[in-house]
Amino acid sequence: MFLIMSAAYVDQDLKSEFGNIPPSLLPLGNRRLFQHQIAAAPKGKALYLSLPESYDLPDIDAKWLQQHKVTVLSIPDNISLGASLVIALNLIDKPIDASLEVLFGDTLISPLPTIEDSITVSQVEDCYNWSAVTNNKHHWIQNVNNDLDHTKNNVVSGYFHFSQPRQLIRCITQSHWDFLEGLNRYNQQIGLTTVRTTNWLDFGHVNTYYRSKAKFTTQRAFNQLKISPEWCEKSSINGLKIQAEANWFEHLPPMMRNYTPQYMGHYEEQGVFSYRLEYLHHTALNELFVFANLPSVIWRQIINSSLSFLTTCQQHLQPIDQPAASLAQLFGEKTSQRLNDFCQDRDFSLTTTWCYNNQYHISLQQLVADSQQYLPKPAAVATIMHGDFCFSNILYDFRTNRIKTIDPRGMTPDGTMTLFGDIRYDLAKLSHSILGLYDWIIAGYYHVDISDNRITFDVAGFEQHQENQQIFIELVNDKFNLSAVNLYAMQIQLFLSMLPLHADDPRRQDALMANAFRLHQLMVAQTL
């Protein structure tokens, strides 16, 4: 058996940034932490995840766990760790004679050790209420927060392997449900071995969460991305895109640099262009939007901060000698060309009428024509713009209530480097995260079926964020004089134009196409 113990809620610091969720549901790499924990679990083991009885597990997560044959155990709130483990084992409707592996819900270790009757230990730098292996014969494992200097190399890191789980239950029960004392009893009777691990990622505290997240990203980064605790470096042999990003940061007006990480310069070596930014321990908005459980009052602050960046951009007009990206360039021809490429690749016809969710009939060609009709007019004065102002490129600092933005486009569609363009395109990109639910689709939180010119589609997050979507629509209308119809029209253009860019995943491509139909339905409802 493999049990992930996540039957308590995150601490107050993490709660202020992610809401009241169990640690296994924290975001990591655009997934839930439990998805990575399950991926690291031994093959062939029965899988269990304990959660607080009071926690309302989202349907989409419950479905994922069911698909991956993970049994959820609901544990009463506010009980000790030892009692939680004993209750979890009693709730398992199978004999517990086989070995038991336990992983704490705020822990990720991959690969996991395979030694029976063992616990993992690691080295730590922070002074939290750790448990550690000591030289005390009777209290081999104990809390050592007041004496960390002598035990910081032997801190218990959250993974345990027991050959005799029945004996473990007996030991914890005899220790009055005290988990550590139960481990000490088990060690005296059966014996435990320490296994040192250097690949422990701890997500139990806000500081360790962000450091572990940085390590996780570094381990999985491509050659074009290097991360250290101080900086993040992007590079590319095909350097135009990277040069345009660096040029944007380098020439951004000083009064706007509070909205970006510190730019640390660029260099070129053997034909590879690179630039560096300060590495910030913040969470991107796409992960907060999909995986956190924040109230609308916080989302209003986040949206206001995002729009403040755009209003600041508007204060810096395009100089006469600088190029700019117009809305006509960014939509219009680009959308039509990419949609043609998609239809040719998938053998679809632009004029075929599709039936959407058994209630709506329209062709791709009509989607384009209708959305074109409602794009914002007339042309706007060009100002500084980001060019790819979506949630995955926006970090949020909860301490200052300010966004930090990364990965700007920095050039026109024809490849000319510039800081300037139509700010309404940035609003379109922001809309496609908030109203378009793009990040929910990328995270895989949707159902889609396309066959016989019929589309069945549902994306999670719509019910959860309806209030936040309305807040966004009202703020944009107030600050930028753009209606909900304008916003939906721009999104339809965006979702249709991105279709050929997702050819690597036909199912996700289907979902993005279906989403354009969903947005058209919402747009039409706004015109009635």
Side-chain angles (χ1 to χ4, degrees):
M1 294 180 292
F2 185 84
L3 170 64
I4 301 171
M5 293 186 64
S6 191
Y9 291 97
V10 295
D11 68 16
Q12 185 58 45
D13 287 338
L14 286 167
K15 179 181 176 181
S16 67
E17 300 198 15
F18 300 103
N20 201 29
I21 60 176
S24 278
L25 279 91
L26 286 165
L28 177 64
N30 205 32
R31 295 286 185 271
R32 296 282 193 195
L33 176 54
F34 69 65
Q35 293 176 282
H36 301 288
Q37 293 169 324
I38 295 301
K43 305 302 179 187
K45 291 273 188 175
L47 305 173
Y48 299 89
L49 171 64
S50 66
L51 295 174
E53 194 172 53
S54 62
Y55 182 67
D56 188 12
L57 182 67
D59 290 342
I60 194 71
D61 292 314
K63 183 178 180 181
W64 189 95
L65 290 165
Q66 184 179 28
Q67 289 174 342
H68 290 79
K69 299 180 180 179
V70 181
T71 302
V72 176
L73 306 173
S74 294
I75 308 298
D77 291 41
N78 302 317
I79 61 174
S80 69
L81 182 62
S84 178
L85 176 56
V86 171
I87 291 172
L89 295 177
N90 284 330
L91 289 175
I92 293 175
D93 191 23
K94 286 185 178 180
I96 55 172
D97 298 326
S99 65
L100 167 69
E101 295 175 65
V102 174
L103 182 70
F104 284 174
D106 58 10
T107 297
L108 181 62
I109 299 174
S110 182
L112 289 166
T114 57
I115 300 173
E116 280 197 341
D117 289 319
S118 65
I119 64 172
T120 56
V121 294
S122 301
Q123 181 176 345
V124 297
E125 300 174 0
D126 302 281
C127 191
Y128 289 110
N129 188 26
W130 304 114
S131 300
V133 174
T134 70
N135 294 321
N136 188 310
K137 181 178 180 181
H138 298 289
H139 298 282
W140 185 57
I141 301 173
Q142 57 184 285
N143 287 325
V144 292
N145 55 307
N146 294 322
D147 192 24
L148 182 61
D149 288 343
H150 299 96
T151 52
K152 66 179 182 180
N153 295 319
N154 294 303
V155 167
V156 177
S157 50
Y159 171 76
F160 312 84
H161 197 305
F162 305 101
S163 65
Q164 300 183 38
R166 288 188 181 276
Q167 185 64 24
L168 175 67
I169 293 173
R170 192 174 295 115
C171 289
I172 293 175
T173 303
Q174 291 171 338
S175 302
H176 303 282
W177 318 108
D178 187 301
F179 180 70
L180 295 185
E181 287 305 309
L183 290 182
N184 284 320
R185 280 180 181 267
Y186 187 91
N187 178 51
Q188 292 170 16
Q189 297 175 18
I190 306 299
L192 286 168
T193 302
T194 58
V195 178
R196 187 168 303 280
T197 178
T198 58
N199 58 341
W200 173 37
L201 298 180
D202 173 43
F203 300 92
H205 311 279
V206 69
N207 290 336
T208 61
Y209 172 85
Y210 283 110
R211 276 205 298 272
S212 294
K213 192 173 183 180
K215 290 179 183 177
F216 179 87
T217 304
T218 302
Q219 292 167 3
R220 287 154 180 79
F222 296 104
N223 294 332
Q224 293 86 353
L225 184 66
K226 297 179 181 178
I227 296 174
S228 82
E230 290 80 31
W231 47 259
C232 174
E233 180 179 287
K234 292 186 70 175
S235 60
S236 176
I237 296 175
N238 183 14
L240 180 59
K241 180 180 182 297
I242 301 298
Q243 288 179 47
E245 292 181 18
N247 180 72
W248 191 90
F249 284 112
E250 194 163 317
H251 292 93
L252 195 68
M255 295 298 291
M256 291 193 63
R257 293 182 182 177
N258 60 331
Y259 289 108
T260 66
Q262 180 180 347
Y263 176 67
M264 301 172 68
H266 70 270
Y267 66 94
E268 191 167 359
E269 189 175 276
Q270 297 181 343
V272 177
F273 185 91
S274 306
Y275 76 90
R276 285 187 182 180
L277 295 176
E278 168 193 16
Y279 184 82
L280 297 177
H281 293 268
H282 303 322
T283 300
L285 293 188
N286 63 315
E287 291 194 334
L288 292 179
F289 198 61
V290 177
F291 302 112
N293 185 24
L294 297 173
S296 289
V297 64
I298 300 298
W299 277 110
R300 180 179 286 273
Q301 294 175 1
I302 292 171
I303 293 168
N304 263 319
S305 179
S306 301
L307 298 181
S308 292
F309 166 74
L310 297 181
T311 56
T312 305
C313 286
Q314 285 185 307
Q315 298 171 16
H316 300 273
L317 303 181
Q318 170 201 9
I320 297 175
D321 60 345
Q322 290 291 314
S326 69
L327 210 61
Q329 288 177 299
L330 295 165
F331 291 131
E333 291 184 9
K334 184 177 78 170
T335 300
S336 296
Q337 181 58 53
R338 286 187 175 178
L339 184 57
N340 282 329
D341 292 342
F342 165 75
C343 288
Q344 185 174 357
D345 183 63
R346 294 290 298 270
D347 197 25
F348 289 162
S349 169
L350 282 169
T351 58
T352 296
T353 297
W354 294 83
C355 176
Y356 174 74
N357 280 351
N358 296 318
Q359 58 185 348
Y360 201 65
H361 297 81
I362 193 170
S363 68
L364 288 168
Q365 186 178 66
Q366 196 63 45
L367 288 184
V368 175
D370 289 353
S371 58
Q372 193 79 31
Q373 176 186 350
Y374 291 111
L375 289 177
K377 297 179 180 65
V381 175
T383 65
I384 284 179
M385 67 176 283
H386 181 278
D388 197 12
F389 196 60
C390 56
F391 270 3
S392 59
N393 292 335
I394 306 172
L395 313 177
Y396 190 66
D397 184 349
F398 282 88
R399 288 155 185 80
T400 63
N401 292 330
R402 183 183 299 134
I403 68 155
K404 300 283 186 176
T405 187
I406 58 174
D407 293 352
R409 185 187 299 274
M411 60 182 174
T412 63
D414 63 6
T416 304
M417 285 195 289
T418 184
L419 278 68
F420 302 96
D422 194 324
I423 202 70
R424 294 173 299 185
Y425 187 75
D426 279 347
L427 286 163
K429 294 292 292 189
L430 192 58
S431 298
H432 106 303
S433 288
I434 299 175
L435 304 180
L437 300 174
Y438 173 80
D439 303 298
W440 287 81
I441 295 174
I442 295 302
Y445 283 3
Y446 62 84
H447 168 76
V448 66
D449 181 69
I450 295 181
S451 59
D452 300 325
N453 299 331
R454 304 181 71 86
I455 300 172
T456 303
F457 179 64
D458 176 62
V459 57
F462 181 71
E463 295 293 332
Q464 178 179 336
H465 285 293
Q466 276 188 304
E467 184 177 351
N468 301 324
Q469 291 175 334
Q470 190 59 38
I471 289 171
F472 175 73
I473 288 172
E474 292 172 359
L475 288 173
V476 169
N477 187 50
D478 180 57
K479 295 175 183 291
F480 298 94
N481 197 30
L482 287 177
S483 68
V485 174
N486 297 144
L487 295 175
Y488 284 123
M490 290 192 292
Q491 286 173 80
I492 292 167
Q493 294 272 323
L494 282 176
F495 276 92
L496 293 177
S497 69
M498 72 176 67
L499 291 176
L501 307 181
H502 292 265
D504 61 307
D505 188 335
R507 185 171 176 269
R508 183 175 66 230
Q509 198 178 45
D510 286 349
L512 294 170
M513 184 184 88
N515 201 41
F517 286 82
R518 181 184 72 87
L519 293 167
H520 186 277
Q521 190 175 29
L522 292 171
M523 182 185 73
V524 170
Q526 293 287 334
T527 65
L528 300 178

